[in-house]
Every structure is written in structure tokens, then in C-alpha cells.
Amino acid sequence: MKQSSHGSMPECVSSLELGSSQIYDIFAINIASTLIGYIYGQGHALNTAQDLGVKIATQTGILFGQLIFGFLADVYGRRKMYGIELVVIVFATLAQALSGAAPAVGIIGSLVVWRFVMGVGIGGDYPLSAIITSEFAPVHLRGRLMAAVFANQGVGQLVAAVVAMIVTVVAKKSATIVSTDVAWRVLLGVGCIPGLIAIGIRYTIPETPRYIMDIARNVDQASQDIDNYLKTGTFYVDPDAPIERVQAPRATKRDFWYYFTRFDNFKILFAACYSWFIIDFAFYGLALNSSIILQAINFSPTVKHAATLEDALSALTRIAEGNLILTGAGLLPGYLATLIFVDRWGRKPIQYTGFGALFAIFAVMGFGYDRFVAGSDSDGGTNHPITPGITAYVFIYCLAYFFQNFGPNTTTFIIPGEIFATRYRSTAHGIASASGKSGAILVQVVFELWLFRTNAGVGGLQDFRKPIRTMFIIFSFLMLTGLVSTWCLPETKNKSLEDLSNESQETFITGPPQPRPPRPPRY
């Protein structure tokens, strides 16, 4: 299929919301949960169940959204679904920012419900943004455009760190419960702004030509859409025009079973799912708990042990600074490196590089943990010097973020959007991404329960060290298994989606167009 770089408009729209709003909403909770805990929690901290509920509610919703919207996009079309999930995100984001307590439900329960709903919308954006981008993009730019969509997650996380720093600094000026309560609401509510901007733009995107041709089997409409969109940037569908549907494979339960029980297709799907599972297990283990890890390595004072609200906000400002360093020095350069090399090296070399480097980095972070943080204990006050050991550890932490994104965190998003037949591409991407979110949920449950069992609680310090040290060692060995799953995946660089579908294109069309009479006139 002939394509042009003019098709980059859908990718720009996709990336606007996917990174700027979606990941902002996920990671803003890092600081927001600590602020909420100080105000509403017993002992100025959320208990294990509350902290776990607030953090995994979104991930659980994302898992359901990926599966549901991934399937619906293959059934009803990419365009029909693209925008619905964004409305869900915006509405739920505003609702959680305005949450309050009531006799029948507490504020934590309300937050959990709305964050789950928001997660469903965010989950829908994963397969939709990936598939729309891959099905519009030219072969030689497809990896770069898909990486650009995913790279905006780094922008979202950077904005979350900046906004968190601003709201904590502003709240510290008055250091009252009211200003602190306003701070977390503003922090969460800002996440809906990019979504509000993108809603109107999304409905200008036409249906992807591959969906129209391969699933709707309307070749004439697909050709017309391509010509119109490349010439004028618009599209038009005549509802009264006769439809000629070619005879081609259709999505059915039997066909789905036949397609994915073939060894080649099953192997690729399993490898994509497993690769995404283990990298999300590590990525979200770090990202959702960065505030805890920064306190555990004594980069910042412990919020729970702060003597005053002002000291607590000072500690949170230091944590926000740490998140800003990790994002600016690790996440964003990793995304940028992938943008540069993904269509030069290919997807598999980058994924191999990432998994291999992360194996070594996590081993150093785990086995060398005590040596790095030795002699850096703090009394929880505002006077909290950063030792050379802590500086070195934060640098290694940045390297971990770099090779996650110049590696499997990005490529696991790209590859499932390129492989598989068009009629199952969105469903399969939803399955693979949902596998990743199951890893994100699992690591959060294990981490929280482990802290609880060691009597550390969410705001502890000394007992954080053993769980975190062991967590990095587990991450290290999991990365080795990622090298095996990467070997099972095909290289997709410079290959058309048709070549990657594992279906013969010579026999794909099995019959001539079947004309249908025009619709009866409307009265």
C-alpha cells in the first residue's frame, strides 16, 4: 500500500493525549497519594490497603480498557472508538480531582472508583493510538512515528514532576491543611487539559485505509479516503454510495482460533505478551514507587517522620526534584535515542540492548544497595545532605530509566502494533498491553504487601531497604528472560504490515467484489 508522510497528522494527535495526559494521570498519583495520606490518613500516611488501592485502581482499569477497546476497534473500526476513551479519561480525571467524603463512602473509596474509570479510558488509548499510527505510517518512518507517540509519555511524566514541584512549593508558603488539599486536587486535575484539547481534533481523523480494505472489505472507499486525505487533509463518506465488498478472510471465532493456534502466530503473541509483562513489572515497580525509593535511599527526608506540615511539604518538594531528575536525565533521553535509532537499527537490537543493560544495572542497584546508602541516615528533618553514594545511586537509577525507554518499554509498544493480521491487530495489541499491565499490578501488590510484612508501612524508612534491595535483584534476573522472549519476535524494520501478517497476500482476496444496491431514499 502506497503511503505518504502526510499521514503523520493522526500520530501527532495520538501522541498529544497518549503521553501528555495519560501518563501524567498515572504518575501524578506518586506525589498526590502522599499529600492525600498526610491529610486523610491515620498518622499522616495512607495504610497499605489504601495506598495499594489508589495506585493499582488505574492499572486495573487500564487492563480492562486495553482488552475491551482493542477488541471493539477490530469490530467497529478504529475511528469510531477513537475519542470515546478520551471523553472517559477527561470526565474521570475531573471527577477524582473533585472527590470528597460522604457518609456512605470515604474519599479514598471515591478516588479508587474514579481512577479505575479513568484507567479504562487510558487503556483504550494504547491499542488505538498504536494501531492508527502503524496503519497510516509509511514503512520507512513507521517505527519512528510509533516511538514518537509513545515518547510523549516522557513529556507527561516530566510535566507531572514539574506540576508536583510547583504545587508543593506553593502549598508550603501557607503550610495549611486547606492549601495542601488544594495542591493534590490541582495536581490531578491538570491532567485533563491535554485531553480537552485533543477531543475535537480526534474526530477529524478518517478510518484507517487498512481497516476499510481488510475488515470492511470496501476497496473503493479505502482508495478514495487515501486520495482525499493526502490531497486535502479531509475525507468524506457518502452514506448512499453502493458498497462493493471483496471476498477476503473475515474475523470469526473459528478464524481467530485457527490464526492464533498456528505455532508462528502463537509464539509471537506469547513473546510479545511476556516481554511487555516483565518490562512493566520493572518499569512500574520503579515509577509508581519512586517517592518511596527516593526516601529509602535517603535522597529526601521521610514525609511520615516530618515534625511539621512545612517539613512534610519540603520533603515532597525534594521528592519532586528527584522525579524531575530521573525523568529529565533518564526517561526523555531514552525516548530520544529510540526515535533516532529505531528505524536504523531495528526493534529487536534495541530491545536486546535494553534488556541486557537492565540486567547489569538492576544487579548493581540490588547487590550494591547497602554500599551506596551507607552513612546517609537522616532524622527526618529538613537538613538532609546528599552524599556521594546517593548521587551515584540516583545516576544509576537514571541509567535504568534510560535503558528501559531505549529498550523494551518502547519496543514492546511498537512491535505488537506492526505484527498480526489487520482483522486481529488491535485485539492482539490489547492482549499484549494488558499482559504488561498485569505485571504492573502484580509488582505493586507484591511491593506493598512486602512492605507491610516487614512493618515498614508506606511512610517507613529503615525497613524499606531489604524489600527494595531484593526487588532490584529480582528485576535483574527477569531481564535475562526478556532476552529469550525477544529472540522469538520477528524484526519488523522496513517490512510492510502485510508482510508481517503471516498471511499470503497473493491469495488474500478470494473473490471479486460483491455489489450491494444503494440504500433506499430517506423521507
Side-chain angles (χ1 to χ4, degrees), residues 206-243:
E207 183 56 83
T208 69
R210 281 188 170 89
Y211 177 87
I212 297 174
M213 186 167 64
D214 292 353
I215 300 178
R217 298 172 291 126
N218 189 346
V219 178
D220 289 342
Q221 183 65 54
S223 300
Q224 178 183 316
D225 282 353
I226 294 172
D227 290 340
N228 289 341
Y229 196 72
L230 294 182
K231 291 177 181 177
T232 67
T234 61
F235 67 99
Y236 172 73
V237 178
D238 184 357
D240 297 321
I243 298 174

Side-chain angles (χ1 to χ4, degrees), residues 88-99 114 188-190 192 196:
V88 173
I89 294 172
V90 171
F91 181 79
T93 301
L94 285 173
Q96 64 178 314
L98 299 174
S99 291
W114 286 116
L188 295 181
V190 166
C192 73
L196 287 170

Side-chain angles (χ1 to χ4, degrees), residues 246-314:
V246 297
Q247 297 182 42
R250 302 185 65 179
T252 64
K253 291 181 180 179
R254 172 178 285 187
D255 183 69
F256 181 89
W257 178 258
Y258 172 76
Y259 183 85
F260 283 105
T261 52
R262 288 172 51 192
F263 177 74
D264 286 347
N265 294 332
F266 176 79
K267 178 189 71 173
I268 293 171
L269 178 62
F270 180 82
C273 290
Y274 183 77
S275 298
W276 208 328
F277 172 85
I278 60 171
I279 191 58
D280 269 17
F281 189 88
F283 180 76
Y284 285 94
L286 293 182
L288 288 181
N289 298 293
S290 60
S291 60
I292 294 176
I293 296 171
L294 290 171
Q295 292 176 75
I297 66 174
N298 297 316
F299 180 86
S300 74
T302 309
V303 176
K304 183 178 180 180
H305 295 166
T308 65
L309 177 56
E310 185 175 359
D311 286 347
L313 291 170
S314 296

Side-chain angles (χ1 to χ4, degrees), residues 164-466:
M165 185 180 300
I166 292 172
V167 297
T168 52
V169 169
V170 172
K172 190 170 68 172
K173 290 183 178 180
S174 58
T176 64
I177 294 296
V178 172
S179 65
T180 307
D181 192 54
V182 170
W184 73 262
R185 295 179 188 277
V186 171
L187 177 58
L188 295 181
V190 166
C192 73
I193 295 176
L196 287 170
I197 297 171
I199 285 177
I201 305 175
R202 284 201 171 186
Y203 288 100
T204 66
I205 301 175
E207 183 56 83
T208 69
R210 281 188 170 89
Y211 177 87
I212 297 174
M213 186 167 64
D214 292 353
I215 300 178
R217 298 172 291 126
N218 189 346
V219 178
D220 289 342
Q221 183 65 54
S223 300
Q224 178 183 316
D225 282 353
I226 294 172
D227 290 340
N228 289 341
Y229 196 72
L230 294 182
K231 291 177 181 177
T232 67
T234 61
F235 67 99
Y236 172 73
V237 178
D238 184 357
D240 297 321
I243 298 174
E244 294 185 345
R245 301 190 190 277
V246 297
Q247 297 182 42
R250 302 185 65 179
T252 64
K253 291 181 180 179
R254 172 178 285 187
D255 183 69
F256 181 89
W257 178 258
Y258 172 76
Y259 183 85
F260 283 105
T261 52
R262 288 172 51 192
F263 177 74
D264 286 347
N265 294 332
F266 176 79
K267 178 189 71 173
I268 293 171
L269 178 62
F270 180 82
C273 290
Y274 183 77
S275 298
W276 208 328
F277 172 85
I278 60 171
I279 191 58
D280 269 17
F281 189 88
F283 180 76
Y284 285 94
L286 293 182
L288 288 181
N289 298 293
S290 60
S291 60
I292 294 176
I293 296 171
L294 290 171
Q295 292 176 75
I297 66 174
N298 297 316
F299 180 86
S300 74
T302 309
V303 176
K304 183 178 180 180
H305 295 166
T308 65
L309 177 56
E310 185 175 359
D311 286 347
L313 291 170
S314 296
L316 283 171
T317 302
R318 177 70 70 85
I319 292 171
E321 291 172 358
N323 287 332
L324 191 59
I325 293 170
L326 294 173
T327 303
L331 277 173
L332 292 179
Y335 287 126
L336 180 60
T338 302
L339 278 170
I340 295 172
F341 293 106
V342 69
D343 282 321
R344 298 180 183 179
W345 289 7
R347 288 56 154 165
K348 287 183 68 173
I350 291 176
Q351 189 156 310
Y352 275 129
T353 300
F355 274 131
L358 289 171
F359 162 71
I361 291 169
F362 286 140
V364 171
M365 295 180 76
F367 290 110
Y369 180 89
D370 290 332
R371 187 180 298 272
F372 282 109
V373 302
S376 61
D377 289 339
S378 169
D379 59 2
T382 56
N383 184 19
H384 197 89
I386 303 298
T387 65
I390 294 175
T391 302
Y393 202 82
V394 171
F395 174 75
I396 298 171
Y397 202 159
C398 289
L399 286 180
Y401 269 147
F402 176 85
F403 282 105
Q404 281 179 328
N405 293 295
F406 182 53
N409 192 43
T410 305
T411 54
T412 52
F413 174 82
I414 295 173
I415 294 174
E418 300 177 301
I419 51 182
F420 307 118
T422 302
R423 63 189 181 278
Y424 299 127
R425 189 173 293 125
S426 182
T427 299
H429 193 283
I431 293 171
S433 54
S435 299
K437 283 302 163 282
S438 66
I441 294 169
L442 179 62
V443 71
Q444 195 60 40
V445 172
V446 170
F447 189 73
E448 291 282 1
L449 294 180
W450 201 343
L451 291 180
F452 178 76
R453 287 178 62 87
T454 55
N455 297 317
V458 176
L461 174 62
Q462 299 296 333
D463 290 338
F464 277 159
R465 294 180 176 180
K466 183 177 179 181

